[in-house]
Amino acid sequence: MTFTNATTRTQQIDSNLIGGKLALIRGMAFRRNNGAQSTAIARKLDLQVDFGYGASTITTTFDNNYASGTRKTVHAKKTVSLPDWTQTISKPEPFDLVIKLDTPFAYNNKLSLVWDVIVTNNAGGGSYSMDWFSTVPTVTYGEKEVVLGTGCKTATGTFAHTTAYTADTANLNLGYSGTGGPASAPAIAIVGATDLALTVGLCTKLHGDLTFLWPIGTTDTTGSVTQSFPLPWNDAFAGVALVSQLLAVDTTQPVLPVALSNGIRATTPFVIGGGATTAFKIDRIYNQTSTGPTGTLAKSCAPVLFSL
């Protein structure tokens, strides 16, 4: 309830970002809870945001959770306007509550990142519920995928591709699906780190950079195929950006006997799931009625999107 009551404070200490690719953080964004909220009208409030690095021991005392000398005010206290959240937009909902930092924060990727949102003088109007995990999620997901280009036309439709990158307590699961491909045809996933966007005489651009070529089975009679590859979780897998594209044999194509799907840019999850609270490595401290000095310590957390 960070943005519901007149005065609140929410602090999150995230150790899962260690070793990632965050650099100069220029902003942060939250999203609404899933579905329409009749009370979540647009509102104004006074907002201060502090960043820093986490102390070695996290407690219920907000200020003690910063490593000595690392706390910085990155958004000075000022009145801001929050968007109307009374209607649902999509699933998942967009990160449209955007907070632009006055002073960018240079994250070193070596220590736990602390963000601290302090709200006062909230004009309110009713519950304004943002997305959050009440418990450690069973499965975690990567960032929302970005579609690259359009797939080839085939006898069953347009060759379309989606991904599902998830993690549980043990595995990173890389899922690849296609629809509208050539019927009853062998298919592979082309996976790499960069978007080639090459015009090479095929029916659409080549997006995958050919680092990995993974057979994903044979399409069915409607041109659909789905395959998932479980890999034992390693912290090096967190937040990896991948570009993928499907290729299937298609003798009806005019130049080369293959069809390509659209490309997809997506990231792997930043953290494992499955209820492993010690491995989840995120702590949240919150107070729904004041700015401290203390709050409730929990493993529940709020998804946040950082802008660079």
Side-chain angles (χ1 to χ4, degrees), residues 33-240:
N33 211 348
N34 189 25
Q37 305 176 59
S38 61
T39 60
I41 60 174
R43 61 196 61 198
K44 291 184 178 181
L45 49 80
D46 291 339
L47 178 70
Q48 176 179 322
V49 180
D50 295 344
F51 273 34
Y53 294 118
S56 56
T57 301
I58 304 303
T59 71
T60 57
T61 301
F62 289 101
D63 293 349
N64 290 350
N65 293 329
Y66 289 95
S68 179
T70 67
R71 181 178 179 179
K72 296 181 179 179
T73 297
V74 294
H75 183 283
K77 181 179 178 180
K78 68 186 72 167
T79 301
V80 299
S81 298
L82 304 189
D84 186 297
W85 274 1
T86 58
Q87 303 298 317
T88 184
I89 294 179
S90 62
K91 293 184 180 181
E93 303 287 354
F95 284 91
D96 59 355
L97 195 168
V98 180
I99 301 170
K100 295 182 179 180
L101 305 186
D102 300 327
T103 305
F105 184 82
Y107 178 49
N108 66 9
N109 293 290
K110 297 178 181 179
L111 300 171
S112 302
L113 178 66
V114 178
W115 57 260
D116 200 345
V117 173
I118 301 169
V119 172
T120 51
N121 300 317
N122 186 350
S127 177
Y128 194 93
S129 180
M130 65 185 186
D131 188 16
W132 64 292
F133 295 107
S134 58
T135 60
V136 177
T138 302
V139 175
T140 56
Y141 297 82
E143 294 177 351
K144 188 176 182 180
E145 63 187 27
V146 176
V147 177
L148 306 171
T150 304
C152 298
K153 298 292 185 181
T154 74
T156 68
T158 300
F159 199 4
H161 165 47
T162 58
T163 60
Y165 296 157
T166 65
D168 52 33
T169 48
N171 295 314
L172 168 66
N173 301 291
L174 302 176
Y176 301 96
S177 297
T179 58
S184 305
I188 63 173
I190 305 170
V191 184
T194 58
D195 175 15
L196 296 181
L198 290 178
T199 302
V200 291
L202 297 171
C203 46
T204 192
K205 288 184 178 181
L206 177 66
H207 293 281
D209 69 7
L210 307 179
T211 302
F212 301 102
L213 301 174
W214 290 335
I216 60 172
T218 300
T219 61
D220 62 19
T221 56
T222 68
S224 298
V225 63
T226 298
Q227 185 62 267
S228 181
F229 300 95
L231 302 173
W233 176 263
N234 185 298
D235 286 345
F237 293 156
V240 176

Side-chain angles (χ1 to χ4, degrees), residues 17 23 31 82 86 94 250 284:
L17 300 174
R31 63 187 179 194
L82 304 189
T86 58
D250 187 358
R284 184 172 70 105

